[in-house]
Amino acid sequence: MSPFSIVTSVNQKIINQKHQHVIASTQKHLPDVDFYIYNENSFLKENVNIDGALNFDLFKEIKGLEHFLSNSPFKECHKIGKKDPNKYLNNPDEYLSSNHYWNRNSIFWFRKICSIYHCSKICKSNILIWLDSDVSVQKKIDSRFVDFVSSYDLCSISRRNFNGWMFTDMGVVCYNLKALGRSFINTFYDMYRSESVFTAHRWDDCYIFDLLVEINKKTLSCCGLNKTFGAPLDYEEYFFHDKGHRGG
């Protein structure tokens, strides 16, 4: 059995995008690894089923998910920032430094947290690696990578934003289910389902991930997947995060 598994979530639109690389590249370079794919939009009658992967319907596996999305503050998130979009869209720094962009789109990013949460319950390996749909696996994940991430609770891509502040890019995240990675996932998910997340300045997965890491920094062991942040390797040896469609 592989010491790690891969998990991602998709919908019909994502599968057909030119920036979607995760399916073909994972199956090419990691053919013997458990590959979990979650259908994000089955409630819209989308039939997403990928040959060779372990396919799950997010809205069947997470009880009450559709009701939660329809009755929590997520139901109004599409209205955030719509009253004066030019104020933000014409000023990228102000646009991204506000919470408008992040909160308006948080309902979509929340689904990846649901996928990770469910997968952590059924995953047979010690390491669970989340990959965004626009991440391309570049080569086989070797023992050097696995040994490194196994020595931490969490490993992720760390970046600095336009103000120099370090933040987590959630495109590639490794959770050590044998250590505190499992309880971190549970807390991550529970923040949303309890609706406590909606008291935060931002509701997106990156912000809440970093908030939980900061709150638990005395007990969690974390490292960025790049040499800038202390790792002996760079994630770019193994993964390419194609962010071209977002221009950054």
Side-chain angles (χ1 to χ4, degrees), residues 98-113:
S98 76
N99 64 1
H100 286 65
Y101 167 78
W102 306 102
N103 290 1
R104 184 169 64 249
N105 293 285
S106 59
I107 187 172
F108 305 111
W109 299 317
F110 164 64
R111 293 178 195 182
K112 74 166 67 174
I113 301 166

Side-chain angles (χ1 to χ4, degrees), residues 83-98:
K83 291 183 178 180
D84 190 17
N86 290 333
K87 176 182 178 182
Y88 300 99
L89 296 178
N90 293 331
N91 186 339
D93 285 0
E94 185 176 358
Y95 178 58
L96 291 175
S97 63
S98 76

Side-chain angles (χ1 to χ4, degrees), residues 20-84:
Q20 185 278 112
H21 309 294
V22 68
I23 295 173
S25 66
T26 298
Q27 292 183 326
K28 175 183 178 180
H29 293 290
L30 305 170
D32 300 321
V33 173
D34 284 345
F35 183 23
Y36 297 85
I37 298 181
Y38 285 80
N39 180 358
E40 295 181 345
N41 280 355
S42 64
F43 69 100
L44 296 178
K45 310 304 180 185
E46 289 189 3
N47 182 23
V48 174
N49 193 75
I50 307 301
D51 290 343
L54 298 166
N55 294 274
F56 292 89
D57 182 335
L58 198 56
F59 286 84
K60 288 183 178 178
E61 303 300 336
I62 304 292
K63 294 186 182 302
L65 181 56
E66 187 171 358
H67 181 269
F68 174 73
L69 293 179
S70 300
N71 292 276
S72 71
F74 274 139
K75 70 180 184 294
E76 300 289 334
C77 69
H78 63 286
K79 299 178 182 179
I80 297 173
K82 291 295 187 181
K83 291 183 178 180
D84 190 17

Side-chain angles (χ1 to χ4, degrees), residues 25 41 61 73 117 151 170 191 217:
S25 66
N41 280 355
E61 303 300 336
Y117 171 75
S151 63
M170 297 287 289
M191 275 200 70
K217 63 183 179 182

Side-chain angles (χ1 to χ4, degrees), residues 18-21 134-136 240-246 248:
K18 66 178 181 179
H19 295 281
Q20 185 278 112
H21 309 294
D134 55 359
V135 170
S136 174
F240 169 61
H241 196 184
D242 183 1
K243 296 170 74 70
H245 61 301
R246 293 190 295 277

